[in-house]
Amino acid sequence: MASLLTRCPGLALVAVLALFSSSCGSSVDAVAALEPVDVVTGWFDDGIVEGQKNKLVPSVTLKLRNKSGESLNSIQINAIFRRVGEQEMWGEYFGWAIPRNPELAAGAETSSLVMRSALGYTGTQPRMQMLQNKEFVDAKVEIFLKQGSKVWAKLAEYPIQRQLLTK
């Protein structure tokens, strides 16, 4: 075998990569293994900007339940916010759903993941009136997961409810 690998360096590289990839992370598909629970969407009160304007940003909070029979780790999460009827991204959140350590055991849940857009609405009206304004355009959030070198895969999509969130 050693002589074959010496004569075919490409084969040696493939063998090393296969060994490395099988020892890192789980073979379980993150989207199939994780289930969103305790999902809450709304408009987060992001305080006062520009001296006197209220700012509201779309927000989603959820936990992920590991419904597989294996522990999971190193899973990234990306929340893409869009206004309803528009294709372009309005804002996003990017981070770790499950870090490398500690792993998320089979059947366990993550702590609450709070994801907010940096972009939102500003106005001088009281916050509740902003939500009821005739110019207000609703938003939605799409949640994507990625593990290792795999491509991003869509986990879920939720409308952003017209409710004011302060936490």
Side-chain angles (χ1 to χ4, degrees):
M1 177 85 165
S3 63
L4 177 62
L5 294 179
T6 306
R7 288 182 288 164
C8 302
L11 183 59
L13 180 61
V14 169
V16 169
L17 289 175
L19 183 65
F20 179 72
S21 66
S22 67
S23 66
C24 295
S26 171
S27 62
V28 175
D29 175 37
V31 169
L34 293 169
E35 168 185 34
V37 294
D38 301 333
V39 179
V40 176
T41 67
W43 294 86
F44 177 70
D45 178 356
D46 205 24
I48 306 290
V49 295
E50 300 173 22
Q52 59 188 359
K53 292 184 179 179
N54 295 314
K55 183 174 181 182
L56 299 177
V57 296
S59 175
V60 60
T61 301
L62 55 83
K63 295 178 183 178
L64 295 173
R65 178 182 297 137
N66 181 355
K67 60 183 184 175
S68 79
E70 294 183 32
S71 293
L72 300 172
N73 68 357
S74 300
I75 298 176
Q76 298 172 69
I77 192 164
N78 192 10
I80 305 289
F81 296 91
R82 301 180 201 286
R83 286 191 273 208
V84 172
E86 296 180 7
Q87 289 300 315
E88 75 181 53
M89 182 175 68
W90 193 33
E92 75 176 320
Y93 169 91
F94 176 78
W96 288 101
I98 304 169
R100 182 173 184 166
N101 288 311
E103 293 183 337
L104 183 65
E109 293 179 0
T110 64
S111 57
S112 290
L113 302 168
V114 179
M115 298 169 279
R116 296 185 178 121
S117 172
L119 301 175
Y121 292 114
T122 60
T124 56
Q125 297 174 300
R127 291 159 184 88
M128 288 305 293
Q129 284 183 13
M130 288 173 64
L131 292 175
Q132 298 165 356
N133 188 306
K134 65 180 178 165
E135 301 294 320
F136 191 92
V137 177
D138 288 310
K140 66 179 181 176
V141 62
E142 296 170 295
I143 310 291
F144 295 87
L145 298 177
K146 180 179 189 251
Q147 185 175 30
S149 62
K150 295 178 182 174
V151 298
W152 287 99
K154 188 173 181 178
L155 175 68
E157 180 176 322
Y158 301 102
I160 303 297
Q161 299 297 315
R162 280 203 196 188
Q163 63 180 342
L164 186 61
L165 303 175
T166 56
K167 294 183 192 181

